Amino acid sequence: MEQEQGFIDYIEQSIIKNWDRNALTDYKGVTLQYKDVARKIAKFHIVLESAGIQPGDKIAVCGRNSAHWAVAFLATVTYGAVIVPILHEFKADNIHNIVNHSEAKLLFVGDRAWENLNEEAMPLLMGIVLLTDFTPVVCRNEQLMEAFEHRNVLYGARFPKNFRPEHISYRKEESPEELAVINYTSGTTGYSKGVMLPYRSLESNVAYCHEMLPVRPGDHIVSMLPLGHVFGMVYDFLYGFSAGAHLYFLTRMPSPKIIAQSFSEIKPRVISCVPLIVEKIIKKDILPRIDNKIGKLLLRMPIVNDRIKADMRKKAMEAFGNNFDEIIIGGAPFNADVERFLKQISFPYTIAYGMTECGPIICSSRWETLKPASCGKAATRMEVKIASPDPQNVAGEIICKGANLMLGYYKNAEATSQIIDINGWLHTGDLATMDAEGYVTVRGRSKNMLLTASGQNIYPEEIESKLNNMPYVSESLILLQKDKLVALIYPDFDDAFAHGLEQSDVEKIMEDNRNELNLQLPAYSQITKVKIHFEEFEKTAKKSIKRFMYQEAKG
Protein backbone atom coordinates (compact mmCIF):
# COMPACT_ATOMS: atom_id res chain seq x y z
CA MET A 1 0.00 0.00 0.00
CA GLU A 2 1.26 3.46 -0.81
CA GLN A 3 1.96 6.18 1.67
CA GLU A 4 0.36 8.84 -0.59
CA GLN A 5 -3.17 7.80 0.31
CA GLY A 6 -4.68 9.26 3.44
CA PHE A 7 -5.58 7.29 6.54
CA ILE A 8 -9.34 7.48 5.89
CA ASP A 9 -8.67 6.07 2.39
CA TYR A 10 -7.23 2.93 4.01
CA ILE A 11 -10.48 2.42 5.95
CA GLU A 12 -12.83 3.30 3.10
CA GLN A 13 -11.08 1.13 0.52
CA SER A 14 -10.84 -1.85 2.86
CA ILE A 15 -14.58 -1.77 3.59
CA ILE A 16 -15.43 -1.57 -0.13
CA LYS A 17 -12.95 -4.29 -1.20
CA ASN A 18 -13.82 -6.68 1.63
CA TRP A 19 -17.59 -6.04 1.75
CA ASP A 20 -18.64 -9.70 2.20
CA ARG A 21 -15.73 -10.81 4.40
CA ASN A 22 -15.84 -11.27 8.17
CA ALA A 23 -14.35 -8.21 9.90
CA LEU A 24 -14.79 -8.14 13.69
CA THR A 25 -15.55 -11.00 16.08
CA ASP A 26 -15.93 -10.95 19.85
CA TYR A 27 -14.25 -14.27 20.72
CA LYS A 28 -17.05 -16.77 21.47
CA GLY A 29 -19.55 -14.04 20.52
CA VAL A 30 -20.95 -11.93 17.69
CA THR A 31 -19.29 -11.49 14.24
CA LEU A 32 -19.66 -8.39 12.05
CA GLN A 33 -18.79 -8.45 8.36
CA TYR A 34 -17.23 -5.41 6.68
CA LYS A 35 -20.66 -4.48 5.27
CA ASP A 36 -22.19 -4.69 8.79
CA VAL A 37 -19.49 -2.33 10.06
CA ALA A 38 -20.25 0.07 7.18
CA ARG A 39 -23.97 0.08 7.99
CA LYS A 40 -23.35 0.70 11.68
CA ILE A 41 -21.00 3.57 10.74
CA ALA A 42 -23.74 5.04 8.50
CA LYS A 43 -26.27 4.93 11.38
CA PHE A 44 -23.71 6.50 13.70
CA HIS A 45 -23.12 9.35 11.28
CA ILE A 46 -26.87 10.04 11.11
CA VAL A 47 -26.99 10.25 14.93
CA LEU A 48 -23.93 12.53 15.16
CA GLU A 49 -25.26 14.78 12.40
CA SER A 50 -28.75 15.02 13.95
CA ALA A 51 -27.26 15.87 17.36
CA GLY A 52 -25.20 18.71 15.91
CA ILE A 53 -21.81 17.06 16.49
CA GLN A 54 -19.22 18.76 14.25
CA PRO A 55 -15.98 17.48 12.68
CA GLY A 56 -13.26 18.29 15.21
CA ASP A 57 -15.53 17.63 18.22
CA LYS A 58 -14.21 15.03 20.68
CA ILE A 59 -15.82 11.62 21.27
CA ALA A 60 -14.46 9.34 24.02
CA VAL A 61 -14.59 5.53 24.10
CA CYS A 62 -13.81 3.47 27.20
CA GLY A 63 -14.30 -0.28 27.51
CA ARG A 64 -12.79 -3.71 27.02
CA ASN A 65 -11.79 -4.78 23.50
CA SER A 66 -14.86 -5.55 21.42
CA ALA A 67 -16.33 -5.29 17.92
CA HIS A 68 -18.49 -2.38 19.09
CA TRP A 69 -15.44 -0.55 20.51
CA ALA A 70 -13.91 -0.79 17.02
CA VAL A 71 -17.15 0.42 15.38
CA ALA A 72 -17.30 3.46 17.71
CA PHE A 73 -13.69 4.33 16.81
CA LEU A 74 -14.19 3.94 13.04
CA ALA A 75 -17.49 5.85 13.03
CA THR A 76 -15.86 8.74 14.89
CA VAL A 77 -12.80 9.19 12.66
CA THR A 78 -14.71 8.66 9.38
CA TYR A 79 -17.07 11.47 10.50
CA GLY A 80 -14.13 13.79 11.13
CA ALA A 81 -14.54 13.91 14.91
CA VAL A 82 -11.54 13.35 17.20
CA ILE A 83 -11.49 10.00 19.02
CA VAL A 84 -10.37 9.88 22.67
CA PRO A 85 -9.68 6.22 23.56
CA ILE A 86 -9.53 5.69 27.34
CA LEU A 87 -8.10 2.59 29.00
CA HIS A 88 -10.87 0.81 30.88
CA GLU A 89 -8.30 -0.10 33.55
CA PHE A 90 -7.97 3.55 34.59
CA LYS A 91 -9.51 4.51 37.93
CA ALA A 92 -12.88 6.31 37.77
CA ASP A 93 -11.49 9.71 38.80
CA ASN A 94 -8.88 9.52 36.02
CA ILE A 95 -11.59 8.63 33.45
CA HIS A 96 -13.74 11.56 34.67
CA ASN A 97 -10.70 13.83 34.40
CA ILE A 98 -9.84 12.67 30.85
CA VAL A 99 -13.44 13.10 29.63
CA ASN A 100 -13.52 16.63 31.07
CA HIS A 101 -10.00 17.63 30.00
CA SER A 102 -10.58 16.44 26.42
CA GLU A 103 -13.94 18.28 26.28
CA ALA A 104 -15.59 15.15 24.88
CA LYS A 105 -19.20 15.61 23.73
CA LEU A 106 -20.05 11.89 23.87
CA LEU A 107 -18.75 8.92 25.85
CA PHE A 108 -19.15 5.35 24.57
CA VAL A 109 -18.58 3.09 27.55
CA GLY A 110 -18.46 -0.63 28.37
CA ASP A 111 -21.00 -1.85 30.93
CA ARG A 112 -18.32 -2.79 33.50
CA ALA A 113 -16.52 0.55 33.24
CA TRP A 114 -19.88 2.37 33.45
CA GLU A 115 -20.69 0.75 36.82
CA ASN A 116 -17.84 2.73 38.43
CA LEU A 117 -18.48 6.09 36.77
CA ASN A 118 -20.52 9.07 37.93
CA GLU A 119 -22.20 11.11 35.18
CA GLU A 120 -22.40 14.15 37.50
CA ALA A 121 -18.59 14.25 37.48
CA MET A 122 -18.66 14.70 33.65
CA PRO A 123 -20.91 17.76 33.16
CA LEU A 124 -19.71 18.64 29.63
CA LEU A 125 -21.00 15.41 28.06
CA MET A 126 -24.03 15.60 25.79
CA GLY A 127 -24.63 11.88 26.29
CA ILE A 128 -23.27 8.54 27.50
CA VAL A 129 -23.86 5.45 25.35
CA LEU A 130 -23.33 1.78 26.28
CA LEU A 131 -21.02 -0.11 23.92
CA THR A 132 -22.91 -3.38 24.43
CA ASP A 133 -25.91 -2.35 22.31
CA PHE A 134 -25.38 1.39 21.65
CA THR A 135 -28.14 2.33 24.11
CA PRO A 136 -27.92 5.88 25.53
CA VAL A 137 -27.89 5.72 29.35
CA VAL A 138 -27.49 9.48 29.84
CA CYS A 139 -28.91 12.02 27.38
CA ARG A 140 -28.69 15.76 27.98
CA ASN A 141 -29.69 16.74 24.46
CA GLU A 142 -33.14 16.29 22.94
CA GLN A 143 -31.92 15.96 19.34
CA LEU A 144 -29.43 13.28 20.41
CA MET A 145 -32.15 11.25 22.16
CA GLU A 146 -34.45 11.59 19.18
CA ALA A 147 -31.69 10.58 16.75
CA PHE A 148 -30.85 7.46 18.79
CA GLU A 149 -34.50 6.45 19.09
CA HIS A 150 -35.21 6.93 15.37
CA ARG A 151 -31.84 6.02 13.85
CA ASN A 152 -33.20 2.96 12.00
CA VAL A 153 -36.07 4.97 10.48
CA LEU A 154 -33.71 7.81 9.46
CA TYR A 155 -31.28 5.26 8.01
CA GLY A 156 -34.08 3.57 6.02
CA ALA A 157 -35.22 6.93 4.64
CA ARG A 158 -31.68 7.87 3.59
CA PHE A 159 -30.91 4.49 2.00
CA PRO A 160 -34.31 3.18 0.82
CA LYS A 161 -32.87 0.53 -1.53
CA ASN A 162 -30.34 -0.95 0.88
CA PHE A 163 -26.89 0.33 1.80
CA ARG A 164 -24.25 -0.56 -0.81
CA PRO A 165 -20.50 0.00 -1.32
CA GLU A 166 -21.15 2.91 -3.68
CA HIS A 167 -22.78 4.81 -0.79
CA ILE A 168 -19.46 4.97 1.05
CA SER A 169 -17.72 8.30 0.79
CA TYR A 170 -16.23 9.34 4.11
CA ARG A 171 -14.97 12.77 5.02
CA LYS A 172 -11.21 12.80 4.32
CA GLU A 173 -8.69 14.53 6.55
CA GLU A 174 -8.17 18.09 5.27
CA SER A 175 -4.46 17.96 6.07
CA PRO A 176 -2.01 15.31 7.32
CA GLU A 177 -1.58 17.56 10.38
CA GLU A 178 -5.29 17.39 11.29
CA LEU A 179 -5.88 15.98 14.78
CA ALA A 180 -7.26 12.41 14.73
CA VAL A 181 -6.68 10.91 18.19
CA ILE A 182 -6.04 12.16 21.72
CA ASN A 183 -4.56 9.18 23.56
CA TYR A 184 -3.99 9.65 27.29
CA THR A 185 -0.81 7.95 28.46
CA SER A 186 -0.82 5.23 31.09
CA GLY A 187 2.69 6.21 32.17
CA THR A 188 4.57 4.81 35.15
CA THR A 189 4.78 8.29 36.70
CA GLY A 190 1.22 8.31 37.99
CA TYR A 191 -0.64 10.85 35.81
CA SER A 192 -2.03 10.96 32.26
CA LYS A 193 -1.18 13.43 29.49
CA GLY A 194 -3.23 13.71 26.28
CA VAL A 195 -1.02 12.78 23.31
CA MET A 196 -2.33 14.48 20.14
CA LEU A 197 -1.80 12.17 17.16
CA PRO A 198 -2.47 13.66 13.71
CA TYR A 199 -3.64 11.69 10.67
CA ARG A 200 -0.03 11.83 9.46
CA SER A 201 1.03 9.64 12.39
CA LEU A 202 -1.79 7.08 11.98
CA GLU A 203 -1.17 6.87 8.24
CA SER A 204 2.61 6.47 8.61
CA ASN A 205 2.31 3.81 11.33
CA VAL A 206 -0.30 1.80 9.42
CA ALA A 207 1.77 2.11 6.22
CA TYR A 208 4.79 0.76 8.14
CA CYS A 209 2.79 -2.30 9.22
CA HIS A 210 1.84 -2.90 5.56
CA GLU A 211 5.51 -2.62 4.57
CA MET A 212 6.73 -5.05 7.25
CA LEU A 213 3.95 -7.62 7.68
CA PRO A 214 2.28 -10.08 5.27
CA VAL A 215 -1.40 -9.92 6.30
CA ARG A 216 -3.81 -10.51 3.42
CA PRO A 217 -7.61 -10.15 3.18
CA GLY A 218 -9.27 -12.95 5.13
CA ASP A 219 -6.25 -13.63 7.38
CA HIS A 220 -6.93 -13.81 11.12
CA ILE A 221 -5.58 -11.46 13.80
CA VAL A 222 -6.13 -11.76 17.55
CA SER A 223 -6.54 -8.45 19.36
CA MET A 224 -5.52 -8.93 22.99
CA LEU A 225 -3.58 -5.74 23.73
CA PRO A 226 -5.96 -3.04 25.00
CA LEU A 227 -7.37 -1.02 22.09
CA GLY A 228 -7.21 2.03 24.35
CA HIS A 229 -3.43 1.81 24.07
CA VAL A 230 -1.84 2.88 20.79
CA PHE A 231 0.21 -0.35 20.31
CA GLY A 232 -2.91 -2.55 20.20
CA MET A 233 -4.93 0.13 18.42
CA VAL A 234 -2.48 0.40 15.50
CA TYR A 235 -0.79 -3.01 15.16
CA ASP A 236 -3.86 -5.19 15.69
CA PHE A 237 -6.92 -3.10 14.91
CA LEU A 238 -6.13 -0.33 12.40
CA TYR A 239 -3.55 -2.33 10.45
CA GLY A 240 -5.66 -5.50 10.52
CA PHE A 241 -8.84 -3.72 9.44
CA SER A 242 -7.08 -1.79 6.65
CA ALA A 243 -5.59 -5.09 5.38
CA GLY A 244 -9.01 -6.78 5.16
CA ALA A 245 -8.22 -9.19 8.00
CA HIS A 246 -10.72 -10.87 10.31
CA LEU A 247 -10.09 -9.54 13.84
CA TYR A 248 -10.92 -11.56 16.95
CA PHE A 249 -11.19 -9.59 20.20
CA LEU A 250 -10.16 -11.16 23.50
CA THR A 251 -11.80 -9.03 26.17
CA ARG A 252 -8.91 -9.23 28.64
CA MET A 253 -5.17 -9.87 28.71
CA PRO A 254 -5.42 -13.66 28.42
CA SER A 255 -3.83 -16.40 30.49
CA PRO A 256 -1.48 -18.88 28.75
CA LYS A 257 -4.36 -21.40 28.83
CA ILE A 258 -6.77 -19.04 27.00
CA ILE A 259 -4.03 -18.18 24.49
CA ALA A 260 -3.38 -21.85 23.75
CA GLN A 261 -7.10 -22.51 23.32
CA SER A 262 -8.01 -19.42 21.28
CA PHE A 263 -4.89 -19.39 19.11
CA SER A 264 -5.26 -23.05 18.15
CA GLU A 265 -8.80 -22.23 16.95
CA ILE A 266 -8.14 -18.84 15.34
CA LYS A 267 -4.63 -19.47 13.96
CA PRO A 268 -3.61 -15.79 13.76
CA ARG A 269 -1.27 -14.60 10.99
CA VAL A 270 0.58 -12.01 13.10
CA ILE A 271 0.57 -11.60 16.87
CA SER A 272 1.28 -8.43 18.85
CA CYS A 273 1.82 -8.76 22.57
CA VAL A 274 3.73 -7.55 25.61
CA PRO A 275 6.81 -9.51 26.82
CA LEU A 276 4.98 -10.79 29.91
CA ILE A 277 2.72 -13.03 27.80
CA VAL A 278 5.58 -14.64 25.86
CA GLU A 279 7.69 -15.04 29.01
CA LYS A 280 4.84 -16.74 30.89
CA ILE A 281 4.12 -19.17 28.06
CA ILE A 282 7.80 -20.07 27.64
CA LYS A 283 8.45 -20.49 31.39
CA LYS A 284 5.14 -22.09 32.43
CA ASP A 285 4.20 -24.09 29.35
CA ILE A 286 7.10 -24.78 26.96
CA LEU A 287 10.08 -25.37 29.30
CA PRO A 288 8.29 -27.79 31.69
CA ARG A 289 7.13 -29.85 28.68
CA ILE A 290 10.74 -30.14 27.52
CA ASP A 291 12.18 -31.02 30.92
CA ASN A 292 10.02 -30.79 34.03
CA LYS A 293 12.97 -31.11 36.42
CA ILE A 294 15.27 -28.33 35.26
CA GLY A 295 12.61 -25.99 33.76
CA LYS A 296 13.92 -22.41 33.90
CA LEU A 297 17.55 -23.56 33.92
CA LEU A 298 17.14 -24.35 30.22
CA LEU A 299 17.10 -20.60 29.62
CA ARG A 300 20.75 -20.35 30.61
CA MET A 301 22.01 -23.47 28.82
CA PRO A 302 23.34 -23.51 25.25
CA ILE A 303 21.27 -25.85 23.06
CA VAL A 304 23.61 -27.72 20.74
CA ASN A 305 21.45 -30.62 19.58
CA ASP A 306 19.56 -29.74 16.37
CA ARG A 307 16.81 -32.29 17.05
CA ILE A 308 16.14 -30.76 20.50
CA LYS A 309 16.12 -27.27 18.95
CA ALA A 310 13.59 -28.36 16.34
CA ASP A 311 11.39 -29.99 19.00
CA MET A 312 11.49 -26.87 21.19
CA ARG A 313 10.65 -24.64 18.22
CA LYS A 314 7.74 -26.90 17.24
CA LYS A 315 6.27 -26.74 20.76
CA ALA A 316 6.71 -22.95 20.93
CA MET A 317 5.10 -22.45 17.50
CA GLU A 318 2.14 -24.67 18.45
CA ALA A 319 1.56 -22.66 21.64
CA PHE A 320 0.78 -19.61 19.47
CA GLY A 321 -1.39 -21.33 16.84
CA ASN A 322 1.36 -22.48 14.43
CA ASN A 323 0.24 -20.20 11.58
CA PHE A 324 1.91 -16.88 12.38
CA ASP A 325 4.55 -15.04 10.36
CA GLU A 326 6.06 -13.36 13.42
CA ILE A 327 5.27 -12.23 16.95
CA ILE A 328 5.77 -8.51 17.58
CA ILE A 329 6.77 -7.86 21.18
CA GLY A 330 6.60 -4.34 22.56
CA GLY A 331 5.53 -2.10 25.40
CA ALA A 332 8.10 -3.18 28.02
CA PRO A 333 11.64 -4.64 28.25
CA PHE A 334 11.99 -8.27 27.13
CA ASN A 335 13.71 -10.75 29.44
CA ALA A 336 17.26 -11.30 28.12
CA ASP A 337 17.43 -15.04 28.89
CA VAL A 338 14.03 -15.75 27.31
CA GLU A 339 15.11 -13.80 24.24
CA ARG A 340 18.39 -15.73 23.99
CA PHE A 341 16.45 -19.01 24.24
CA LEU A 342 14.07 -17.94 21.44
CA LYS A 343 16.99 -16.88 19.24
CA GLN A 344 18.65 -20.28 19.75
CA ILE A 345 15.57 -22.14 18.51
CA SER A 346 14.99 -19.68 15.58
CA PHE A 347 11.60 -18.63 16.91
CA PRO A 348 10.07 -15.85 14.73
CA TYR A 349 9.77 -12.93 17.14
CA THR A 350 10.74 -9.30 16.76
CA ILE A 351 10.89 -6.32 19.10
CA ALA A 352 8.99 -3.11 18.37
CA TYR A 353 10.27 -0.09 20.26
CA GLY A 354 8.06 2.95 20.49
CA MET A 355 5.92 5.18 22.64
CA THR A 356 2.44 6.69 22.56
CA GLU A 357 4.01 10.00 21.46
CA CYS A 358 5.05 8.34 18.17
CA GLY A 359 1.79 6.50 17.63
CA PRO A 360 3.73 4.15 18.52
CA ILE A 361 6.61 2.98 16.34
CA ILE A 362 10.19 4.31 16.53
CA CYS A 363 12.38 1.23 15.84
CA SER A 364 11.77 -2.29 14.62
CA SER A 365 13.11 -4.90 12.18
CA ARG A 366 11.89 -8.15 10.66
CA TRP A 367 12.68 -11.17 12.86
CA GLU A 368 15.05 -12.62 10.26
CA THR A 369 17.42 -9.62 10.56
CA LEU A 370 16.92 -8.65 14.22
CA LYS A 371 20.13 -8.68 16.27
CA PRO A 372 19.94 -10.24 19.76
CA ALA A 373 18.97 -7.78 22.55
CA SER A 374 18.29 -5.07 19.94
CA CYS A 375 14.96 -3.45 19.06
CA GLY A 376 15.94 -3.05 15.42
CA LYS A 377 16.60 0.03 13.30
CA ALA A 378 14.72 3.30 12.86
CA ALA A 379 11.31 2.72 11.26
CA THR A 380 10.58 4.07 7.77
CA ARG A 381 9.95 7.84 7.85
CA MET A 382 11.64 8.10 11.28
CA GLU A 383 15.08 9.44 12.17
CA VAL A 384 16.71 8.13 15.36
CA LYS A 385 19.85 9.33 17.16
CA ILE A 386 21.59 8.50 20.43
CA ALA A 387 22.55 11.62 22.41
CA SER A 388 26.00 10.34 23.38
CA PRO A 389 29.59 11.27 22.43
CA ASP A 390 30.15 7.58 21.58
CA PRO A 391 26.76 5.98 20.69
CA GLN A 392 28.27 2.55 20.00
CA ASN A 393 29.81 2.18 23.46
CA VAL A 394 28.32 4.78 25.81
CA ALA A 395 24.56 4.77 26.36
CA GLY A 396 22.75 8.03 25.68
CA GLU A 397 19.15 9.15 25.38
CA ILE A 398 17.20 8.02 22.31
CA ILE A 399 15.91 11.05 20.41
CA CYS A 400 13.78 10.88 17.28
CA LYS A 401 11.79 12.88 14.74
CA GLY A 402 9.69 12.03 11.70
CA ALA A 403 6.22 11.34 10.34
CA ASN A 404 5.06 9.31 13.36
CA LEU A 405 5.58 12.15 15.84
CA MET A 406 2.70 13.63 17.84
CA LEU A 407 1.57 17.25 17.55
CA GLY A 408 2.14 17.69 21.30
CA TYR A 409 0.25 17.21 24.57
CA TYR A 410 -3.33 18.49 24.55
CA LYS A 411 -3.62 21.82 26.39
CA ASN A 412 -0.15 21.34 27.89
CA ALA A 413 2.45 23.41 26.02
CA GLU A 414 4.87 23.24 28.95
CA ALA A 415 5.00 19.41 28.97
CA THR A 416 5.31 19.44 25.15
CA SER A 417 8.32 21.77 25.28
CA GLN A 418 9.96 19.49 27.85
CA ILE A 419 9.85 16.46 25.52
CA ILE A 420 10.19 18.02 22.01
CA ASP A 421 13.15 20.40 21.65
CA ILE A 422 13.32 23.52 19.46
CA ASN A 423 14.75 21.47 16.57
CA GLY A 424 11.79 19.06 16.60
CA TRP A 425 13.58 16.12 18.26
CA LEU A 426 11.50 14.09 20.70
CA HIS A 427 13.45 13.06 23.82
CA THR A 428 12.23 9.59 24.79
CA GLY A 429 13.78 9.31 28.26
CA ASP A 430 15.19 5.89 27.27
CA LEU A 431 18.91 5.15 27.26
CA ALA A 432 20.45 3.08 24.48
CA THR A 433 23.46 2.35 22.32
CA MET A 434 23.45 2.12 18.50
CA ASP A 435 25.85 -0.03 16.47
CA ALA A 436 27.47 0.87 13.15
CA GLU A 437 24.55 -0.66 11.20
CA GLY A 438 21.96 1.42 13.08
CA TYR A 439 20.62 -1.31 15.40
CA VAL A 440 19.42 0.22 18.68
CA THR A 441 19.80 -1.60 22.01
CA VAL A 442 17.81 -0.12 24.90
CA ARG A 443 19.63 -0.18 28.24
CA GLY A 444 16.86 1.23 30.42
CA ARG A 445 14.82 4.31 31.31
CA SER A 446 16.93 7.33 32.21
CA LYS A 447 14.57 8.01 35.12
CA ASN A 448 15.02 4.40 36.33
CA MET A 449 18.82 4.54 36.16
CA LEU A 450 20.34 4.28 39.63
CA LEU A 451 23.39 6.40 40.42
CA THR A 452 25.42 5.10 43.36
CA ALA A 453 27.54 7.25 45.69
CA SER A 454 30.63 5.91 43.90
CA GLY A 455 29.31 7.38 40.63
CA GLN A 456 28.35 4.08 38.97
CA ASN A 457 25.34 4.03 36.61
CA ILE A 458 23.20 0.95 37.23
CA TYR A 459 20.37 -0.12 34.92
CA PRO A 460 17.95 -2.00 37.20
CA GLU A 461 16.15 -3.67 34.27
CA GLU A 462 19.32 -5.63 33.39
CA ILE A 463 19.62 -7.07 36.92
CA GLU A 464 15.86 -7.76 37.15
CA SER A 465 16.00 -9.66 33.87
CA LYS A 466 18.51 -12.13 35.40
CA LEU A 467 16.72 -12.35 38.75
CA ASN A 468 13.33 -13.08 37.17
CA ASN A 469 14.68 -16.33 35.72
CA MET A 470 15.81 -17.71 39.07
CA PRO A 471 13.88 -20.39 40.97
CA TYR A 472 10.43 -19.33 42.20
CA VAL A 473 10.85 -15.65 41.23
CA SER A 474 7.71 -14.28 39.58
CA GLU A 475 8.85 -10.66 39.23
CA SER A 476 11.26 -8.25 40.88
CA LEU A 477 12.37 -4.65 41.29
CA ILE A 478 15.89 -3.44 42.04
CA LEU A 479 15.84 -0.37 44.32
CA LEU A 480 18.55 1.93 45.67
CA GLN A 481 17.97 2.49 49.39
CA LYS A 482 20.55 4.27 51.57
CA ASP A 483 23.05 3.77 48.73
CA LYS A 484 22.57 -0.02 48.86
CA LEU A 485 20.93 -2.11 46.14
CA VAL A 486 17.89 -4.00 47.40
CA ALA A 487 15.87 -6.64 45.52
CA LEU A 488 12.11 -6.45 46.07
CA ILE A 489 10.81 -9.85 44.95
CA TYR A 490 7.29 -11.15 44.37
CA PRO A 491 7.83 -14.94 44.55
CA ASP A 492 5.82 -17.47 42.55
CA PHE A 493 4.07 -18.74 45.68
CA ASP A 494 1.66 -20.97 43.71
CA ASP A 495 4.53 -22.88 42.13
CA ALA A 496 6.44 -23.06 45.43
CA PHE A 497 3.47 -24.36 47.43
CA ALA A 498 2.67 -26.85 44.64
CA HIS A 499 6.17 -28.27 45.22
CA GLY A 500 5.51 -28.65 48.95
CA LEU A 501 7.53 -25.62 50.06
CA GLU A 502 6.57 -23.32 52.93
CA GLN A 503 7.02 -19.57 53.23
CA SER A 504 10.25 -19.95 55.22
CA ASP A 505 11.63 -22.19 52.43
CA VAL A 506 10.75 -19.53 49.84
CA GLU A 507 12.57 -16.86 51.86
CA LYS A 508 15.68 -19.07 52.04
CA ILE A 509 15.54 -19.75 48.28
CA MET A 510 15.32 -15.99 47.60
CA GLU A 511 18.44 -15.48 49.70
CA ASP A 512 20.18 -18.27 47.74
CA ASN A 513 19.09 -16.52 44.53
CA ARG A 514 20.65 -13.28 45.79
CA ASN A 515 23.97 -15.01 46.45
CA GLU A 516 23.98 -16.73 43.06
CA LEU A 517 23.03 -13.52 41.26
CA ASN A 518 25.85 -11.62 42.96
CA LEU A 519 28.34 -14.11 41.48
CA GLN A 520 27.21 -12.88 38.04
CA LEU A 521 27.34 -9.15 38.87
CA PRO A 522 30.26 -6.70 39.16
CA ALA A 523 31.20 -5.50 42.65
CA TYR A 524 29.47 -2.12 42.29
CA SER A 525 26.05 -3.68 41.52
CA GLN A 526 25.88 -6.35 44.24
CA ILE A 527 22.48 -6.91 45.86
CA THR A 528 22.80 -6.41 49.61
CA LYS A 529 19.33 -7.49 50.71
CA VAL A 530 16.14 -9.24 49.55
CA LYS A 531 12.68 -8.01 50.55
CA ILE A 532 9.67 -10.23 49.91
CA HIS A 533 6.61 -8.60 48.34
CA PHE A 534 3.42 -10.58 48.90
CA GLU A 535 1.32 -9.45 45.95
CA GLU A 536 1.83 -8.81 42.25
CA PHE A 537 3.26 -5.36 41.46
CA GLU A 538 0.82 -2.78 40.09
CA LYS A 539 1.29 -2.26 36.36
CA THR A 540 0.37 0.05 33.51
CA ALA A 541 -1.69 -1.13 30.52
CA LYS A 542 1.57 -2.13 28.81
CA LYS A 543 2.35 -4.33 31.84
CA SER A 544 5.27 -2.15 32.96
CA ILE A 545 5.60 -2.06 36.75
CA LYS A 546 4.66 1.28 38.32
CA ARG A 547 8.09 1.73 39.91
CA PHE A 548 7.29 5.02 41.60
CA MET A 549 4.96 3.17 44.00
CA TYR A 550 7.72 0.98 45.46
CA GLN A 551 10.73 3.23 45.97
CA GLU A 552 10.35 3.27 49.76
CA ALA A 553 9.39 -0.41 50.12
CA LYS A 554 9.85 -1.63 53.68
CA GLY A 555 10.86 -5.12 54.66
Side-chain angles (χ1 to χ4, degrees), residues 143-325:
Q143 292 105 306
L144 180 68
M145 194 69 210
E146 213 167 283
F148 263 110
E149 284 176 352
H150 301 109
R151 65 184 184 268
N152 290 328
V153 174
L154 293 166
Y155 171 82
R158 187 171 294 188
F159 306 106
K161 293 184 178 176
N162 214 338
F163 186 80
R164 298 184 300 280
E166 54 267 30
H167 290 127
I168 292 177
S169 179
Y170 297 136
R171 176 197 175 274
K172 306 299 189 292
E173 56 268 39
E174 291 177 356
S175 147
E177 299 305 305
E178 185 181 321
L179 179 60
V181 178
I182 304 177
N183 198 200
Y184 284 78
T185 61
S186 61
T188 46
T189 49
Y191 59 90
S192 300
K193 295 191 288 285
V195 173
M196 295 190 288
L197 295 175
Y199 280 97
R200 154 179 56 74
S201 175
L202 294 187
E203 177 192 328
S204 177
N205 274 283
V206 170
Y208 181 74
C209 292
H210 281 283
E211 291 156 17
M212 300 295 282
L213 297 166
V215 171
R216 297 285 173 264
D219 281 349
H220 294 178
I221 289 180
V222 172
S223 169
M224 57 181 165
L225 295 168
L227 291 172
H229 190 277
V230 73
F231 184 21
M233 183 203 307
V234 169
Y235 264 82
D236 293 338
F237 167 40
L238 297 180
Y239 165 56
F241 193 87
S242 69
H246 180 186
L247 277 68
Y248 290 79
F249 297 105
L250 301 185
T251 57
R252 63 187 70 222
M253 198 68 87
S255 65
K257 187 179 175 185
I258 295 289
I259 286 180
Q261 179 193 334
S262 60
F263 282 29
S264 66
E265 288 174 37
I266 297 166
K267 300 198 177 304
R269 191 74 185 103
V270 294
I271 297 163
S272 309
C273 65
V274 292
L276 191 67
I277 287 177
V278 178
E279 288 165 17
K280 271 189 177 173
I281 287 174
I282 297 299
K283 290 178 186 177
K284 297 271 189 180
D285 188 30
I286 309 301
L287 298 181
R289 282 165 61 197
I290 295 164
D291 191 320
N292 199 27
K293 289 195 178 72
I294 60 173
K296 277 191 194 176
L297 291 175
L298 281 166
L299 291 175
R300 282 178 276 161
M301 293 165 61
I303 308 162
V304 290
N305 185 306
D306 286 343
R307 190 180 58 77
I308 292 173
K309 272 187 195 175
D311 184 48
M312 288 178 173
R313 186 179 195 275
K314 182 170 177 285
K315 286 183 169 70
M317 295 293 286
E318 284 169 355
F320 291 95
N322 214 18
N323 185 48
F324 61 95
D325 171 68

Side-chain angles (χ1 to χ4, degrees), residues 283 296 335 464-470 473-476:
K283 290 178 186 177
K296 277 191 194 176
N335 185 285
E464 290 155 8
S465 186
K466 294 177 186 293
L467 185 52
N468 290 347
N469 290 329
M470 293 187 143
V473 176
S474 183
E475 51 188 5
S476 64

Side-chain angles (χ1 to χ4, degrees), residues 8 45 54-57 75-82 171 178-179 199:
I8 299 300
H45 288 181
Q54 300 294 316
D57 284 345
T76 299
V77 294
T78 53
Y79 185 77
V82 176
R171 176 197 175 274
E178 185 181 321
L179 179 60
Y199 280 97

